[in-house]
Amino acid sequence: MDVVGGKWKALILWELRDRAHRFGQLRQALPGVSEKVLIQQLRELETDGIVHREVLQQVPPKVEYSLTELGRALGENLQPLAMWGEAYVAHIEATHLPA
């Protein structure tokens, strides 16, 4: 659970599920996350072998983040949780309960 623990890691994995993202793209896709926290979470995911960080050789240099094989396998296992979350949000909206 340490690998995906915290508020942002599962959301980062969700954003990276289909394609690589640059840092700014991730930041836009995750409103509310600070730059410092996003950097920290990405570094931890990289250290755990879940996310791959690639520096693109161009001017100015750009960095892309993508899932490793391990990260893709983890994402597949998080899919049922994502489906449950979507059903839960629909339930909340249908019953007008506070989230």
Side-chain angles (χ1 to χ4, degrees):
M1 290 307 296
D2 287 340
V3 174
V4 292
K7 180 176 180 179
W8 299 104
K9 287 183 180 177
L11 297 172
I12 292 168
L13 294 174
W14 187 253
E15 284 303 318
L16 294 175
R17 73 189 180 281
D18 293 326
R19 64 181 179 89
H21 283 64
R22 292 196 317 266
F23 182 83
Q25 293 171 315
L26 280 173
R27 185 112 191 265
Q28 283 182 327
L30 301 168
V33 66
S34 71
E35 185 171 323
K36 176 184 174 184
V37 169
L38 183 55
I39 290 169
Q40 177 185 9
Q41 300 289 280
L42 286 166
R43 284 184 182 154
E44 289 175 11
L45 288 167
E46 185 181 4
T47 298
D48 290 334
I50 304 301
V51 167
H52 172 72
R53 180 180 185 269
E54 182 175 356
V55 179
L56 304 174
Q57 299 301 318
Q58 60 187 52
V59 178
K62 295 188 184 203
V63 176
E64 279 191 348
Y65 295 92
S66 60
L67 294 178
T68 62
E69 286 296 321
L70 212 64
R72 281 190 283 283
L74 177 58
E76 290 170 12
N77 287 297
L78 290 175
Q79 184 66 31
L81 183 59
M83 291 170 53
W84 179 88
E86 290 171 355
Y88 179 72
V89 168
H91 170 76
I92 295 284
E93 290 172 351
T95 58
H96 304 292
L97 296 173

